Short mmCIF file of all heavy atoms in Angstrom, two decimals:
data_model
loop_
_atom_site.label_atom_id
_atom_site.label_comp_id
_atom_site.label_asym_id
_atom_site.label_seq_id
_atom_site.Cartn_x
_atom_site.Cartn_y
_atom_site.Cartn_z
N ARG A 1 -36.20 -34.10 -61.27
CA ARG A 1 -35.85 -33.48 -62.61
C ARG A 1 -35.04 -32.20 -62.37
O ARG A 1 -35.58 -31.12 -62.54
CB ARG A 1 -37.18 -33.08 -63.38
CG ARG A 1 -37.88 -34.32 -63.91
CD ARG A 1 -37.20 -34.85 -65.15
NE ARG A 1 -37.95 -36.03 -65.67
CZ ARG A 1 -37.71 -37.33 -65.34
NH1 ARG A 1 -36.73 -37.60 -64.44
NH2 ARG A 1 -38.45 -38.24 -65.84
N PRO A 2 -33.79 -32.31 -61.95
CA PRO A 2 -32.98 -31.08 -61.67
C PRO A 2 -32.76 -30.24 -62.94
O PRO A 2 -32.44 -29.05 -62.84
CB PRO A 2 -31.69 -31.67 -61.16
CG PRO A 2 -31.62 -33.12 -61.56
CD PRO A 2 -33.07 -33.52 -61.61
N ASN A 3 -32.89 -30.89 -64.10
CA ASN A 3 -32.74 -30.10 -65.37
C ASN A 3 -33.80 -29.10 -65.55
O ASN A 3 -33.70 -28.22 -66.40
CB ASN A 3 -32.63 -31.01 -66.58
CG ASN A 3 -33.71 -32.01 -66.68
OD1 ASN A 3 -34.03 -32.69 -65.66
ND2 ASN A 3 -34.25 -32.23 -67.81
N TYR A 4 -34.96 -29.27 -64.86
CA TYR A 4 -36.04 -28.28 -64.89
C TYR A 4 -35.93 -27.31 -63.74
O TYR A 4 -36.86 -26.55 -63.47
CB TYR A 4 -37.42 -28.95 -64.86
CG TYR A 4 -37.76 -29.88 -65.96
CD1 TYR A 4 -38.64 -30.93 -65.84
CD2 TYR A 4 -37.21 -29.64 -67.35
CE1 TYR A 4 -38.97 -31.73 -66.93
CE2 TYR A 4 -37.53 -30.40 -68.33
CZ TYR A 4 -38.34 -31.49 -68.18
OH TYR A 4 -38.69 -32.31 -69.21
N ALA A 5 -34.79 -27.30 -63.12
CA ALA A 5 -34.56 -26.49 -61.86
C ALA A 5 -33.29 -25.73 -61.88
O ALA A 5 -32.95 -25.16 -60.89
CB ALA A 5 -34.77 -27.29 -60.62
N GLY A 6 -32.64 -25.69 -62.97
CA GLY A 6 -31.34 -24.98 -63.11
C GLY A 6 -30.17 -25.91 -62.69
O GLY A 6 -28.98 -25.35 -62.65
N GLY A 7 -30.32 -27.22 -62.52
CA GLY A 7 -29.28 -27.98 -62.16
C GLY A 7 -29.13 -28.37 -60.64
O GLY A 7 -29.84 -27.85 -59.87
N VAL A 8 -28.33 -29.32 -60.34
CA VAL A 8 -28.24 -29.87 -59.00
C VAL A 8 -27.81 -28.88 -57.94
O VAL A 8 -28.17 -28.82 -56.75
CB VAL A 8 -27.41 -31.15 -58.93
CG1 VAL A 8 -28.04 -32.22 -59.78
CG2 VAL A 8 -25.99 -30.83 -59.35
N PHE A 9 -26.95 -27.84 -58.35
CA PHE A 9 -26.52 -26.80 -57.36
C PHE A 9 -27.64 -25.92 -57.05
O PHE A 9 -27.84 -25.46 -55.91
CB PHE A 9 -25.28 -26.11 -57.94
CG PHE A 9 -24.06 -26.84 -57.89
CD1 PHE A 9 -23.68 -27.71 -58.98
CD2 PHE A 9 -23.22 -26.82 -56.82
CE1 PHE A 9 -22.54 -28.41 -58.97
CE2 PHE A 9 -22.07 -27.61 -56.79
CZ PHE A 9 -21.73 -28.37 -57.87
N GLU A 10 -28.51 -25.62 -57.97
CA GLU A 10 -29.66 -24.75 -57.81
C GLU A 10 -30.72 -25.58 -56.89
O GLU A 10 -31.37 -24.94 -56.06
CB GLU A 10 -30.40 -24.37 -59.09
CG GLU A 10 -29.79 -23.14 -59.76
CD GLU A 10 -30.09 -21.90 -59.00
OE1 GLU A 10 -31.31 -21.52 -58.81
OE2 GLU A 10 -29.18 -21.21 -58.49
N VAL A 11 -30.75 -26.83 -57.12
CA VAL A 11 -31.59 -27.65 -56.30
C VAL A 11 -31.22 -27.68 -54.79
O VAL A 11 -32.03 -27.41 -53.88
CB VAL A 11 -31.67 -29.16 -56.77
CG1 VAL A 11 -32.45 -30.00 -55.71
CG2 VAL A 11 -32.31 -29.25 -58.12
N LEU A 12 -29.89 -27.78 -54.59
CA LEU A 12 -29.36 -27.75 -53.24
C LEU A 12 -29.64 -26.30 -52.62
O LEU A 12 -30.03 -26.23 -51.42
CB LEU A 12 -27.84 -28.02 -53.29
CG LEU A 12 -27.18 -27.80 -51.87
CD1 LEU A 12 -27.73 -28.84 -50.88
CD2 LEU A 12 -25.71 -28.12 -51.99
N SER A 13 -29.51 -25.22 -53.39
CA SER A 13 -29.81 -23.91 -52.96
C SER A 13 -31.20 -23.74 -52.54
O SER A 13 -31.56 -23.13 -51.51
CB SER A 13 -29.43 -22.87 -54.04
OG SER A 13 -29.76 -21.57 -53.65
N ALA A 14 -32.20 -24.39 -53.29
CA ALA A 14 -33.54 -24.35 -53.05
C ALA A 14 -33.88 -25.01 -51.71
O ALA A 14 -34.71 -24.52 -50.92
CB ALA A 14 -34.42 -24.99 -54.20
N PHE A 15 -33.23 -26.12 -51.50
CA PHE A 15 -33.40 -26.93 -50.22
C PHE A 15 -32.95 -25.91 -49.04
O PHE A 15 -33.65 -25.90 -48.01
CB PHE A 15 -32.64 -28.15 -50.14
CG PHE A 15 -33.42 -29.29 -50.69
CD1 PHE A 15 -33.54 -29.54 -52.07
CD2 PHE A 15 -33.98 -30.29 -49.84
CE1 PHE A 15 -34.26 -30.60 -52.60
CE2 PHE A 15 -34.77 -31.38 -50.35
CZ PHE A 15 -34.87 -31.54 -51.68
N ARG A 16 -31.82 -25.33 -49.23
CA ARG A 16 -31.31 -24.42 -48.16
C ARG A 16 -32.35 -23.22 -47.93
O ARG A 16 -32.52 -22.85 -46.70
CB ARG A 16 -29.93 -23.90 -48.51
CG ARG A 16 -28.81 -24.93 -48.38
CD ARG A 16 -27.51 -24.50 -48.92
NE ARG A 16 -26.46 -25.42 -48.59
CZ ARG A 16 -25.31 -25.53 -49.29
NH1 ARG A 16 -25.11 -24.68 -50.39
NH2 ARG A 16 -24.38 -26.44 -48.94
N ASN A 17 -32.90 -22.70 -48.95
CA ASN A 17 -33.81 -21.62 -48.86
C ASN A 17 -35.20 -22.07 -48.19
O ASN A 17 -35.90 -21.23 -47.75
CB ASN A 17 -34.07 -20.91 -50.20
CG ASN A 17 -32.82 -20.16 -50.68
OD1 ASN A 17 -31.99 -19.72 -49.91
ND2 ASN A 17 -32.63 -20.01 -51.99
N ALA A 18 -35.34 -23.33 -48.29
CA ALA A 18 -36.74 -23.91 -47.65
C ALA A 18 -36.60 -24.14 -46.18
O ALA A 18 -37.55 -24.54 -45.59
CB ALA A 18 -37.05 -25.20 -48.42
N LYS A 19 -35.42 -23.92 -45.57
CA LYS A 19 -35.23 -24.13 -44.24
C LYS A 19 -36.38 -23.47 -43.33
O LYS A 19 -36.62 -22.30 -43.52
CB LYS A 19 -33.86 -23.79 -43.73
CG LYS A 19 -33.49 -24.25 -42.33
CD LYS A 19 -31.99 -24.02 -42.11
CE LYS A 19 -31.63 -24.71 -40.71
NZ LYS A 19 -30.16 -24.58 -40.45
N GLY A 20 -36.90 -24.23 -42.46
CA GLY A 20 -37.97 -23.69 -41.57
C GLY A 20 -39.36 -23.64 -42.21
O GLY A 20 -40.32 -23.18 -41.59
N GLN A 21 -39.45 -24.14 -43.46
CA GLN A 21 -40.74 -24.04 -44.20
C GLN A 21 -41.31 -25.31 -44.57
O GLN A 21 -42.24 -25.41 -45.27
CB GLN A 21 -40.54 -23.13 -45.46
CG GLN A 21 -40.14 -21.71 -45.17
CD GLN A 21 -39.97 -20.96 -46.49
OE1 GLN A 21 -40.94 -20.62 -47.12
NE2 GLN A 21 -38.75 -20.60 -46.88
N THR A 22 -40.63 -26.41 -44.20
CA THR A 22 -40.98 -27.76 -44.76
C THR A 22 -41.51 -28.65 -43.61
O THR A 22 -41.14 -28.48 -42.46
CB THR A 22 -39.80 -28.41 -45.46
OG1 THR A 22 -38.72 -28.64 -44.50
CG2 THR A 22 -39.33 -27.56 -46.60
N SER A 23 -42.24 -29.66 -44.05
CA SER A 23 -42.69 -30.74 -43.14
C SER A 23 -42.06 -32.04 -43.55
O SER A 23 -42.33 -32.50 -44.72
CB SER A 23 -44.19 -30.85 -43.07
OG SER A 23 -44.68 -32.03 -42.56
N LEU A 24 -41.24 -32.62 -42.79
CA LEU A 24 -40.63 -33.89 -43.11
C LEU A 24 -41.66 -35.00 -43.25
O LEU A 24 -41.57 -35.91 -44.17
CB LEU A 24 -39.53 -34.26 -42.11
CG LEU A 24 -38.73 -35.54 -42.43
CD1 LEU A 24 -38.00 -35.45 -43.70
CD2 LEU A 24 -37.72 -35.87 -41.32
N ASN A 25 -42.67 -35.04 -42.41
CA ASN A 25 -43.75 -35.91 -42.50
C ASN A 25 -44.44 -35.87 -43.75
O ASN A 25 -44.87 -36.84 -44.35
CB ASN A 25 -44.70 -35.75 -41.29
CG ASN A 25 -44.16 -36.29 -39.98
OD1 ASN A 25 -43.30 -37.17 -40.02
ND2 ASN A 25 -44.57 -35.68 -38.95
N ARG A 26 -44.65 -34.59 -44.26
CA ARG A 26 -45.37 -34.45 -45.54
C ARG A 26 -44.53 -34.94 -46.72
O ARG A 26 -45.08 -35.58 -47.62
CB ARG A 26 -45.77 -32.97 -45.72
CG ARG A 26 -46.62 -32.72 -46.97
CD ARG A 26 -47.21 -31.29 -47.05
NE ARG A 26 -47.99 -30.97 -45.99
CZ ARG A 26 -47.77 -29.91 -45.08
NH1 ARG A 26 -46.76 -29.14 -45.20
NH2 ARG A 26 -48.70 -29.78 -44.12
N ILE A 27 -43.21 -34.65 -46.63
CA ILE A 27 -42.34 -35.15 -47.67
C ILE A 27 -42.41 -36.67 -47.76
O ILE A 27 -42.55 -37.29 -48.79
CB ILE A 27 -40.89 -34.73 -47.42
CG1 ILE A 27 -40.80 -33.20 -47.67
CG2 ILE A 27 -39.88 -35.49 -48.33
CD1 ILE A 27 -39.40 -32.59 -47.26
N GLN A 28 -42.32 -37.35 -46.56
CA GLN A 28 -42.40 -38.78 -46.51
C GLN A 28 -43.70 -39.31 -47.02
O GLN A 28 -43.86 -40.33 -47.83
CB GLN A 28 -42.28 -39.21 -45.07
CG GLN A 28 -42.43 -40.75 -44.81
CD GLN A 28 -41.26 -41.54 -45.41
OE1 GLN A 28 -40.31 -41.02 -45.93
NE2 GLN A 28 -41.36 -42.87 -45.20
N SER A 29 -44.83 -38.62 -46.74
CA SER A 29 -46.19 -38.96 -47.12
C SER A 29 -46.23 -38.89 -48.67
O SER A 29 -46.80 -39.86 -49.36
CB SER A 29 -47.22 -38.11 -46.49
OG SER A 29 -48.50 -38.36 -47.03
N TYR A 30 -45.72 -37.77 -49.24
CA TYR A 30 -45.73 -37.61 -50.65
C TYR A 30 -44.91 -38.65 -51.39
O TYR A 30 -45.32 -39.20 -52.37
CB TYR A 30 -45.22 -36.19 -51.03
CG TYR A 30 -46.07 -35.01 -50.79
CD1 TYR A 30 -47.36 -35.22 -50.18
CD2 TYR A 30 -45.74 -33.74 -51.07
CE1 TYR A 30 -48.20 -34.18 -49.89
CE2 TYR A 30 -46.59 -32.63 -50.73
CZ TYR A 30 -47.81 -32.86 -50.23
OH TYR A 30 -48.65 -31.77 -49.95
N LEU A 31 -43.74 -38.96 -50.86
CA LEU A 31 -42.91 -40.00 -51.43
C LEU A 31 -43.62 -41.34 -51.50
O LEU A 31 -43.55 -42.05 -52.50
CB LEU A 31 -41.52 -40.11 -50.77
CG LEU A 31 -40.51 -38.96 -50.98
CD1 LEU A 31 -39.40 -39.07 -50.02
CD2 LEU A 31 -40.07 -38.98 -52.40
N ASN A 32 -44.34 -41.65 -50.42
CA ASN A 32 -44.99 -42.95 -50.38
C ASN A 32 -46.12 -42.99 -51.44
O ASN A 32 -46.34 -43.97 -52.09
CB ASN A 32 -45.62 -43.13 -48.96
CG ASN A 32 -44.58 -43.51 -47.89
OD1 ASN A 32 -43.51 -43.98 -48.25
ND2 ASN A 32 -44.94 -43.21 -46.62
N LYS A 33 -46.83 -41.86 -51.58
CA LYS A 33 -48.00 -41.83 -52.50
C LYS A 33 -47.46 -41.75 -53.94
O LYS A 33 -48.11 -42.31 -54.83
CB LYS A 33 -48.89 -40.63 -52.19
CG LYS A 33 -49.62 -40.69 -50.95
CD LYS A 33 -50.39 -39.44 -50.62
CE LYS A 33 -51.12 -39.58 -49.30
NZ LYS A 33 -51.88 -38.34 -48.90
N MET A 34 -46.27 -41.14 -54.26
CA MET A 34 -45.84 -40.99 -55.52
C MET A 34 -45.21 -42.35 -56.00
O MET A 34 -45.09 -42.52 -57.26
CB MET A 34 -44.86 -39.83 -55.60
CG MET A 34 -45.50 -38.46 -55.32
SD MET A 34 -44.39 -37.05 -55.20
CE MET A 34 -44.26 -36.57 -56.91
N ASP A 35 -44.71 -43.11 -55.09
CA ASP A 35 -44.34 -44.49 -55.32
C ASP A 35 -43.35 -44.58 -56.49
O ASP A 35 -43.63 -45.36 -57.56
CB ASP A 35 -45.61 -45.36 -55.55
CG ASP A 35 -45.35 -46.83 -55.57
OD1 ASP A 35 -44.36 -47.20 -54.89
OD2 ASP A 35 -46.12 -47.56 -56.16
N PHE A 36 -42.21 -43.97 -56.42
CA PHE A 36 -41.25 -43.99 -57.54
C PHE A 36 -40.57 -45.35 -57.59
O PHE A 36 -40.40 -46.04 -56.64
CB PHE A 36 -40.11 -42.95 -57.31
CG PHE A 36 -40.63 -41.47 -57.34
CD1 PHE A 36 -40.73 -40.76 -56.19
CD2 PHE A 36 -40.99 -40.96 -58.52
CE1 PHE A 36 -41.13 -39.40 -56.29
CE2 PHE A 36 -41.46 -39.64 -58.64
CZ PHE A 36 -41.53 -38.93 -57.48
N ILE A 37 -40.21 -45.67 -58.85
CA ILE A 37 -39.39 -46.87 -59.04
C ILE A 37 -37.96 -46.66 -58.64
O ILE A 37 -37.42 -47.49 -57.91
CB ILE A 37 -39.42 -47.23 -60.59
CG1 ILE A 37 -40.76 -47.65 -61.01
CG2 ILE A 37 -38.38 -48.48 -60.81
CD1 ILE A 37 -41.39 -48.79 -60.45
N TYR A 38 -37.45 -45.46 -58.92
CA TYR A 38 -36.06 -45.09 -58.48
C TYR A 38 -36.05 -44.66 -57.05
O TYR A 38 -37.08 -44.15 -56.55
CB TYR A 38 -35.55 -44.02 -59.40
CG TYR A 38 -35.05 -44.37 -60.77
CD1 TYR A 38 -34.69 -43.38 -61.71
CD2 TYR A 38 -35.00 -45.73 -61.14
CE1 TYR A 38 -34.28 -43.74 -62.92
CE2 TYR A 38 -34.62 -46.05 -62.41
CZ TYR A 38 -34.20 -45.05 -63.34
OH TYR A 38 -33.81 -45.39 -64.56
N PRO A 39 -34.97 -44.93 -56.33
CA PRO A 39 -34.97 -44.50 -54.92
C PRO A 39 -34.69 -43.10 -54.62
O PRO A 39 -33.62 -42.66 -54.11
CB PRO A 39 -33.80 -45.39 -54.37
CG PRO A 39 -32.85 -45.57 -55.57
CD PRO A 39 -33.74 -45.60 -56.79
N TYR A 40 -35.63 -42.19 -55.10
CA TYR A 40 -35.40 -40.80 -54.93
C TYR A 40 -35.38 -40.34 -53.46
O TYR A 40 -34.95 -39.32 -53.08
CB TYR A 40 -36.52 -40.01 -55.69
CG TYR A 40 -36.29 -40.03 -57.22
CD1 TYR A 40 -37.13 -40.75 -58.03
CD2 TYR A 40 -35.21 -39.33 -57.78
CE1 TYR A 40 -36.95 -40.73 -59.36
CE2 TYR A 40 -35.03 -39.38 -59.07
CZ TYR A 40 -35.91 -40.03 -59.88
OH TYR A 40 -35.69 -40.04 -61.26
N HIS A 41 -35.91 -41.24 -52.53
CA HIS A 41 -35.75 -40.87 -51.15
C HIS A 41 -34.37 -40.73 -50.71
O HIS A 41 -34.11 -39.95 -49.74
CB HIS A 41 -36.55 -41.98 -50.29
CG HIS A 41 -35.92 -43.25 -50.38
ND1 HIS A 41 -35.94 -44.13 -51.45
CD2 HIS A 41 -35.15 -44.04 -49.39
CE1 HIS A 41 -35.39 -45.23 -51.21
NE2 HIS A 41 -34.89 -45.24 -49.97
N GLN A 42 -33.47 -41.39 -51.34
CA GLN A 42 -32.07 -41.28 -50.98
C GLN A 42 -31.53 -39.92 -51.35
O GLN A 42 -30.85 -39.28 -50.66
CB GLN A 42 -31.20 -42.41 -51.67
CG GLN A 42 -31.53 -43.79 -51.21
CD GLN A 42 -30.80 -44.83 -51.96
OE1 GLN A 42 -31.34 -45.85 -52.34
NE2 GLN A 42 -29.55 -44.72 -52.34
N ALA A 43 -31.93 -39.41 -52.58
CA ALA A 43 -31.48 -38.14 -53.00
C ALA A 43 -32.16 -37.04 -52.17
O ALA A 43 -31.44 -36.08 -51.82
CB ALA A 43 -31.90 -37.91 -54.45
N ILE A 44 -33.45 -37.27 -51.84
CA ILE A 44 -34.10 -36.27 -50.93
C ILE A 44 -33.39 -36.21 -49.55
O ILE A 44 -33.04 -35.10 -48.98
CB ILE A 44 -35.58 -36.68 -50.70
CG1 ILE A 44 -36.34 -36.46 -52.05
CG2 ILE A 44 -36.26 -35.86 -49.63
CD1 ILE A 44 -36.74 -35.08 -52.41
N GLY A 45 -33.12 -37.42 -49.08
CA GLY A 45 -32.33 -37.41 -47.76
C GLY A 45 -31.05 -36.72 -47.84
O GLY A 45 -30.58 -35.99 -46.81
N PHE A 46 -30.31 -36.97 -48.91
CA PHE A 46 -29.07 -36.29 -49.08
C PHE A 46 -29.15 -34.79 -49.11
O PHE A 46 -28.42 -34.06 -48.36
CB PHE A 46 -28.37 -36.80 -50.40
CG PHE A 46 -27.24 -35.95 -50.93
CD1 PHE A 46 -25.91 -36.06 -50.33
CD2 PHE A 46 -27.41 -34.90 -51.81
CE1 PHE A 46 -24.86 -35.28 -50.77
CE2 PHE A 46 -26.36 -34.13 -52.27
CZ PHE A 46 -25.12 -34.30 -51.64
N TYR A 47 -30.09 -34.22 -49.85
CA TYR A 47 -30.37 -32.73 -49.95
C TYR A 47 -30.73 -32.23 -48.59
O TYR A 47 -30.25 -31.19 -48.18
CB TYR A 47 -31.35 -32.40 -50.95
CG TYR A 47 -30.82 -32.44 -52.38
CD1 TYR A 47 -31.43 -33.22 -53.43
CD2 TYR A 47 -29.84 -31.55 -52.88
CE1 TYR A 47 -30.96 -33.22 -54.70
CE2 TYR A 47 -29.43 -31.50 -54.14
CZ TYR A 47 -29.91 -32.36 -55.06
OH TYR A 47 -29.54 -32.34 -56.36
#
């Protein structure tokens, strides 16, 4: 929901500001549990 985050450019900025603070395994685990219909893993990978 980038419209709740100031738009896609703000989302990209947030990803950049998260550098060194994230766990890729945790992101993958959350995506598996959230089980989206849409392929949001592609957008996450892009960011």
Side-chain angles (χ1 to χ4, degrees):
R1 290 283 182 267
N3 52 313
Y4 294 154
V8 296
F9 286 90
E10 275 291 296
V11 173
L12 177 58
S13 178
F15 271 80
R16 286 172 172 156
N17 291 333
K19 191 169 186 177
Q21 303 180 66
T22 61
S23 163
L24 185 57
N25 286 331
R26 188 175 293 124
I27 290 173
Q28 174 73 0
S29 173
Y30 286 0
L31 285 171
N32 288 337
K33 291 175 181 176
M34 295 171 90
D35 194 23
F36 293 112
I37 298 294
Y38 284 173
Y40 286 111
H41 64 288
Q42 293 174 223
I44 292 285
F46 167 79
Y47 279 122

